[in-house]
Amino acid sequence: MPKQVDYESRRRRIADAVCRLADEHGPEGVSMRDVAARAQVSLGAVQRCFRTKEEMLLFAVEHVGERLTERVRARLVRGPAQSAATALGHTAGEVALLREEHRAEARVWLAFVAQAAVSEPLADKLRTSYADLQDVFSRLIAEAAESAGPSTGNGPGTGNGPGTGNGPGTGNGPGTGNGPGTGNGPGTGDSSVTGKGTAGDDSAGGVPVALDPWREARSLLALTDGLTSHVLIGHLSPEEAQDVLHAHLALLWERLGVTTPVSGKAG
């Protein structure tokens, strides 16, 4: 009786070999013959799973993205009772790939990103992976905002001086409660923080409009991706990158009116 072959398991095994070789030589230096040797399978076995090198690389990118997504899901499953803010901190830490055990994965991911600049099929796969991660960030931010309820006191759009819980385009002018950018002054209708209207709009009964989760998720994803690069090239240490991420999240919690989670640090 012919031996049953688990092709999906073999494809993942080959993808692991592709990632190890891409880490050593870059995606352009990966050949199907070398992959077969590293995966300890025949060249024919590789060719039966993947018709071309490009198809093999595309699957490897998808494989790396799935591993990252699985770790994020595992984080969320391990702490089902944790707040959305805490979950977002952990998730952002996973996506940034700052821990030593994820350094090789980070190198591979960025190598694929570089290759995607000249490969539209590869770029399309990466866009899909980024979109999935942005969806997770957006959902967690929306849940955190909902749990915080309407902002009061020093939240966005209140009458406080500079530096009080507001990002660019919020409802406060420099040092005043009614300067440019307030609920009744110029700049209403859309801001870089609110997304739908200006925080503190009187027409909303004095209740600040919530932040735009999608916009905040996009900013957070761009930050985590950039931190990966800065750590890999040695511009930032992992600890410094964590500090940058913590500071960004702290400002987000402040704008949301969420108490900074003690256990919600990234990582």
Side-chain angles (χ1 to χ4, degrees):
M1 182 177 178
K3 182 179 178 181
Q4 293 293 320
V5 177
D6 183 347
Y7 281 102
E8 194 55 36
S9 176
R10 176 173 287 179
R11 280 160 65 88
R12 288 194 295 270
R13 180 177 178 179
I14 290 170
D16 285 334
V18 170
C19 290
R20 291 195 297 272
L21 287 168
D23 186 24
E24 296 169 9
H25 309 295
E28 67 282 356
V30 174
S31 71
M32 297 183 85
R33 187 175 299 278
D34 289 341
V35 168
R38 185 63 63 93
Q40 297 183 324
V41 297
S42 68
L43 177 58
V46 174
Q47 292 170 330
R48 282 190 291 274
C49 290
F50 304 102
R51 291 168 298 177
T52 64
K53 173 183 171 178
E54 182 177 63
E55 186 178 305
M56 182 176 67
L57 290 177
L58 291 176
F59 182 79
V61 170
E62 189 177 324
H63 180 60
V64 173
E66 285 176 352
R67 284 194 312 208
L68 177 55
T69 303
E70 285 170 6
R71 286 203 303 272
V72 167
R73 288 197 187 111
R75 274 280 197 172
L76 299 178
V77 169
R78 283 202 303 269
Q82 65 188 338
S83 69
T86 298
L88 180 64
H90 291 320
T91 301
E94 289 289 350
V95 173
L97 298 172
L98 300 180
R99 293 203 294 273
E100 182 62 36
E101 61 265 32
H102 298 149
R103 202 59 48 80
E105 193 172 85
R107 289 194 299 267
V108 171
W109 182 261
L110 290 183
F112 282 133
V113 169
Q115 186 71 13
V118 293
S119 170
E120 180 54 30
L122 196 56
D124 186 59
K125 282 287 185 184
L126 289 172
R127 285 194 294 267
T128 299
S129 293
Y130 281 129
D132 290 342
L133 292 171
Q134 188 168 327
D135 281 342
V136 173
F137 282 171
S138 180
R139 177 174 59 81
L140 291 173
I141 291 170
E143 289 177 7
E146 184 178 348
S147 66
S151 298
T152 59
N154 292 325
T158 60
N160 291 295
T164 57
N166 292 296
T170 60
N172 286 297
T176 69
N178 296 309
T182 63
N184 298 315
T188 61
D190 188 29
S191 73
S192 63
V193 174
T194 62
K196 290 184 179 179
T198 301
D201 191 343
D202 288 341
S203 65
V207 178
V209 180
L211 300 182
D212 181 350
W214 188 251
R215 182 178 295 178
E216 294 294 336
R218 186 170 55 196
S219 298
L220 181 56
L221 181 60
L223 175 65
T224 57
D225 206 47
L227 290 176
T228 305
S229 303
H230 283 241
V231 169
L232 280 183
I233 66 172
H235 176 65
L236 294 175
S237 69
E239 294 75 23
E240 289 170 332
Q242 288 282 7
D243 285 344
V244 171
L245 189 52
H246 295 169
H248 180 88
L249 290 172
L251 288 174
L252 176 59
W253 305 149
E254 187 177 346
R255 294 201 301 277
L256 285 173
V258 175
T259 302
T260 304
V262 175
S263 60
K265 288 188 175 184

